[in-house]
């Protein structure tokens, strides 16, 4: 039958019958012309200007569709509805949403970044900054945690990662972190930070950088930062020390090499072999990941580094010193000699004392013994307090000075050995510096102590006469008279 006859018989329009003959399935509604918004059209340039300006303000203070609707009504006399504004902004966002090109990664190249997570170290809950190195060809990774994401942590993370893999990547992609890039020049060239430049020179790595604010330029490591946080740090890790935590993280990275990711026929470890074959060999010695600077010792035997003060022996007062800031340690030296080592503090305006540094000065200024700030938090064993009380009771002010001399033995000997010598001196009743020093040397040299009391002139002396026959006979006669 004809289309006209079919339309009459089935009570359909001829257009519907035509479509049914042209398509095996109904094609649905098809728009032939663009949507017309007569009420919104004149206001589109205003809306676009507002939304384009939002790029320069924080995300939480940008225009919403409701705010655009309110402003158009109040400031421009808009009479349309809220829905057409909401639909326009949604379509505008869809048109401007960024598209990405799938990337293929050759073996031997890496990406690096830092992430953050809460951890508990030594019973203290704090924020950990964890370094991640990703090899995107194989998806192998290395993760290491630090108290702060300083330049030394960046370099130290690389050094440990290279040791973990046993090789050095040909190139690494970075973001524009201030620890690595001190300035971006107008032509896009990066002016590297001093420590990072020395690191690249040591390992001969080609550095590459993502666009500022574009994490997708190094999407492999960005994804691994989230993976490490979700899988290695949930629930909150609890470890006694940072080193114990990092050893555990290394073990998790090794276990992950047995995984087979979606779309891959080989495990991460199997693909890692191609990465390692393309990478460079390790240099003869690792890079020394430390910040180097100089300073001057103050009148209180303190050296300032990164807003914190660290003590040095008082004999180096007012001298020029060099400082090396490692991730976990601050080393201070004068000329060719290392004069002080301290655990690094990441607080601000902190003061880190080593009480032993001040003992020579306290021995001279003995009246400062009880008020000396470096000694206030010094938790010595109870035996030392007992020794001081006995020394002061027997020798007065001189006893306080001898007590400081006993403490100065820590300049050359370990606290455990000195503590043992002090306890032994208390048990023997040999209360004096010379006795403690003698017992300490005997303890270290593993020989029997022999105390000579002639070197203690201030002790009470017992007068003992030699035995003679005349004295004996006189004693007998005196006893006989007493009996009578």
């Amino acid at each position: 039958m004809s289309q006209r006859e079919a339309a009459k018989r089935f009570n359909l329009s001829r257009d519907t019958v035509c479509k049914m003959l042209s398509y095996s399935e109904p094609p649905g509604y098809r728009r032939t012309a663009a949507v017309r918004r007569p009420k919104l059209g004149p206001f589109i340039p205003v809306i676009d200007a507002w939304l384009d300006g939002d790029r320069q303000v924080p995300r939480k203070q940008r225009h919403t569709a409701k705010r655009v609707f309110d402003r158009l009504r109040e400031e421009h006399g808009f009479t349309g509805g809220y829905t057409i504004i909401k639909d326009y902004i949604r379509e505008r966002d869809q048109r401007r949403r960024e598209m990405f090109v799938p990337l293929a990664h050759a073996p031997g190249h890496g990406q690096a970044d830092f992430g953050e997570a809460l951890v508990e170290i030594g019973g203290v809950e704090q924020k950990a900054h964890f370094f991640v190195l990703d090899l995107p060809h194989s998806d192998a990774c290395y993760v290491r945690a630090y108290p702060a994401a300083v330049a030394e942590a960046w370099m130290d993370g690389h050094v440990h990662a290279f040791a973990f893999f046993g090789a050095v990547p040909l190139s690494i992609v970075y973001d524009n972190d201030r620890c690595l890039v001190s300035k971006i020049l107008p032509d896009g060239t990066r002016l590297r930070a001093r420590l990072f430049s020395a690191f690249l020179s040591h390992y001969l790595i080609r550095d590459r950088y993502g666009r500022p604010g574009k994490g997708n330029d190094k999407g492999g490591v960005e994804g691994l930062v989230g993976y490490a946080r979700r899988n290695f740090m949930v629930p909150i890790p609890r470890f006694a020390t940072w080193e114990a935590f990092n050893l555990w993280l290394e073990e998790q990275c090794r276990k992950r090499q047995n995984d087979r990711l979606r779309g891959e026929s080989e495990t991460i470890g199997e693909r890692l072999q191609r990465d390692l074959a393309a990478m460079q060999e390790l240099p003869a010695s690792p890079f020394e990941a430390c910040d180097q600077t100089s300073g001057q010792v103050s009148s209180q035997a303190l050296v300032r580094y990164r807003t914190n003060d660290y003590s040095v022996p008082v004999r180096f007062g007012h001298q020029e010193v060099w400082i090396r800031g490692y991730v976990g340690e601050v080393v201070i030296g004068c000329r060719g000699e290392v004069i002080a080592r301290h655990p690094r503090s990441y607080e601000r305006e902190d003061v880190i004392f080593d009480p032993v540094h001040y003992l020579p000065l306290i021995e001279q200024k003995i009246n400062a013994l009880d008020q000396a700030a470096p000694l206030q938090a010094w938790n010595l064993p109870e035996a030392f307090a007992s020794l001081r009380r006995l020394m002061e009771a027997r020798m007065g002010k001189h006893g306080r000075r001898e007590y400081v001399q006993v403490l100065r033995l820590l300049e050359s000997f370990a606290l455990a050995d000195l503590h043992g010598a002090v306890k032994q001196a208390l048990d023997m009743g040999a209360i004096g510096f010379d006795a403690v020093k003698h017992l300490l040397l005997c303890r270290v040299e593993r020989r029997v102590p022999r105390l000579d009391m002639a070197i203690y002139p201030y002790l009470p002396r017992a007068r003992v006469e030699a035995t003679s026959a005349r004295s004996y006979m006189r004693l007998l006669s005196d006893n006989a008279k007493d009996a009578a």
Side-chain angles (χ1 to χ4, degrees):
M1 65 181 67
S2 65
Q3 295 184 26
R4 183 188 299 272
E5 185 178 356
K8 288 181 178 180
R9 180 169 179 177
F10 297 105
N11 195 26
L12 298 172
S13 71
R14 279 179 291 176
D15 290 340
T16 302
V17 173
C18 181
K19 289 180 181 179
M20 293 173 68
L21 295 175
S22 302
Y23 300 98
S24 59
E25 293 183 1
Y29 176 75
R30 292 187 174 185
R31 187 180 297 278
T32 58
V35 177
R36 294 179 63 253
R37 297 187 176 99
K39 288 191 175 182
L40 182 65
F43 301 96
I44 287 179
V46 177
I47 297 174
D48 288 341
W50 289 346
L51 298 181
D52 289 341
D54 279 351
R55 297 178 182 178
Q56 310 301 323
V57 300
R59 183 176 296 274
K60 294 183 178 181
Q61 289 182 260
R62 296 178 182 177
H63 282 83
T64 62
K66 178 65 168 57
R67 182 57 183 151
V68 170
F69 174 65
D70 291 341
R71 287 192 65 184
L72 287 177
R73 286 196 307 173
E74 295 170 4
E75 301 175 19
H76 297 274
F78 178 67
T79 59
Y82 168 69
T83 302
I84 58 174
I85 297 219
K86 181 180 64 175
D87 291 343
Y88 172 74
I89 293 177
R90 181 177 65 250
E91 292 171 7
R92 182 182 185 276
D93 291 341
Q94 289 177 345
R95 291 195 305 269
R96 299 195 174 201
R97 192 170 297 171
E98 187 176 3
M99 300 296 293
F100 303 100
V101 178
L103 301 179
H105 300 282
H109 300 271
Q111 300 177 359
D113 201 1
F114 258 88
E116 296 179 355
L118 283 179
V119 298
E120 185 179 300
I121 304 296
V124 179
E125 188 173 287
Q126 56 191 294
K127 182 184 292 185
H129 302 260
F130 57 94
F131 169 83
V132 178
L133 179 69
D134 170 45
L135 303 179
H137 175 77
S138 62
D139 293 301
C141 70
Y142 178 80
V143 182
R144 189 172 183 84
Y146 297 94
V150 293
E152 302 86 73
W154 273 98
M155 305 307 114
D156 187 77
H158 282 83
V159 171
H160 282 88
F162 298 163
F164 177 79
F165 290 118
V168 179
L170 302 174
S171 72
I172 300 179
V173 180
Y174 300 97
D175 58 17
N176 298 277
D177 192 283
R178 287 181 298 176
C179 296
L180 310 178
V181 178
S182 58
K183 187 178 181 181
I184 302 179
L185 301 180
D187 62 353
T189 304
R190 269 69 172 180
L191 188 62
R192 305 182 187 95
R194 181 184 59 82
L195 183 62
F196 182 51
S197 180
F199 163 80
L200 295 175
S201 177
H202 184 88
Y203 287 103
L204 303 179
I205 299 172
R206 183 165 67 92
D207 53 327
R208 298 184 291 141
Y209 302 91
R211 296 168 294 169
K214 299 293 184 180
N216 55 283
D217 287 351
K218 50 182 180 62
V221 72
E222 293 281 354
L224 272 172
V225 166
Y227 175 90
R229 185 185 295 112
R230 293 188 302 270
N231 292 272
F232 301 162
M233 301 178 193
V234 176
I236 293 178
R238 290 174 172 81
F239 289 88
T241 63
W242 286 101
E243 189 59 34
F245 182 31
N246 285 323
L247 289 175
W248 181 81
L249 287 175
E250 284 190 8
E251 185 60 29
Q252 304 313 302
C253 293
R254 289 191 183 92
K255 289 181 179 179
R256 186 175 178 272
Q257 294 179 11
N258 298 321
D259 295 348
R260 181 179 287 104
L261 302 187
R262 180 178 180 272
E264 299 290 346
S265 59
E266 299 174 300
T267 65
I268 293 175
E270 291 169 345
R271 289 183 286 129
L272 175 61
Q273 300 308 311
R274 291 194 293 273
D275 263 325
L276 297 179
M279 291 164 68
Q280 308 175 75
E281 294 184 358
L282 286 170
S285 60
F287 180 72
E288 191 171 17
C290 68
D291 175 41
Q292 300 186 31
T293 185
S294 60
Q296 186 172 19
V297 183
S298 70
S299 60
Q300 295 182 332
L302 295 172
V303 176
R304 182 157 297 174
Y305 175 69
R306 299 279 183 91
T307 76
N308 296 323
D309 293 326
Y310 298 86
S311 70
V312 298
V314 292
R315 68 179 184 275
F316 295 98
H318 306 286
Q319 297 189 36
E320 295 288 335
V321 295
W322 49 263
I323 308 167
R324 291 180 181 173
Y326 296 87
V327 171
E329 184 181 37
V330 174
V331 179
I332 304 172
C334 185
R335 294 176 285 277
E337 178 187 2
V338 174
I339 62 176
R341 293 179 180 271
H342 293 278
R344 181 166 178 174
S345 172
Y346 287 95
E347 303 295 331
R348 292 188 61 83
E349 300 179 2
D350 196 6
V351 182
I352 299 90
F353 291 116
D354 183 346
V356 177
H357 292 162
Y358 293 88
L359 293 177
L361 185 60
I362 294 175
E363 184 182 356
Q364 298 174 16
K365 302 181 178 183
I366 198 62
N367 290 332
L369 177 60
D370 292 322
Q371 293 181 300
L375 307 187
Q376 297 304 308
W378 199 10
N379 296 319
L380 291 171
E382 182 61 29
F384 285 86
S386 301
L387 179 68
R388 178 184 174 180
R389 285 195 299 270
L390 291 173
M391 283 183 163
E392 291 185 358
R394 295 187 181 186
M395 293 175 276
K397 186 175 182 179
H398 183 72
R400 299 172 67 189
R401 184 167 278 111
E402 284 217 8
Y403 173 70
V404 175
Q405 292 174 353
V406 169
L407 296 180
R408 288 195 63 185
L409 292 172
L410 291 172
E411 296 173 356
S412 304
F413 300 95
L415 177 60
D417 291 331
L418 180 58
H419 183 209
V422 168
K423 290 195 297 183
Q424 190 175 1
L426 293 174
D427 294 339
M428 298 174 65
I431 308 302
F433 165 72
D434 294 318
V436 174
K437 182 178 180 180
H438 177 73
L439 293 171
L440 175 59
L441 290 172
C442 292
R443 189 180 189 86
V444 173
E445 298 170 1
R446 299 182 181 278
R447 56 187 175 87
V448 178
R450 295 185 178 181
L451 295 177
D452 182 5
M453 302 304 292
I455 62 176
Y456 299 99
Y458 44 81
L459 295 179
R461 292 186 176 275
R463 183 177 179 183
V464 181
E465 295 184 357
T467 304
S468 64
R470 181 178 300 175
S471 299
Y472 181 68
M473 294 304 295
R474 185 170 60 250
L475 179 62
L476 289 178
S477 62
D478 292 340
N479 289 338
K481 289 178 182 179
D482 291 340

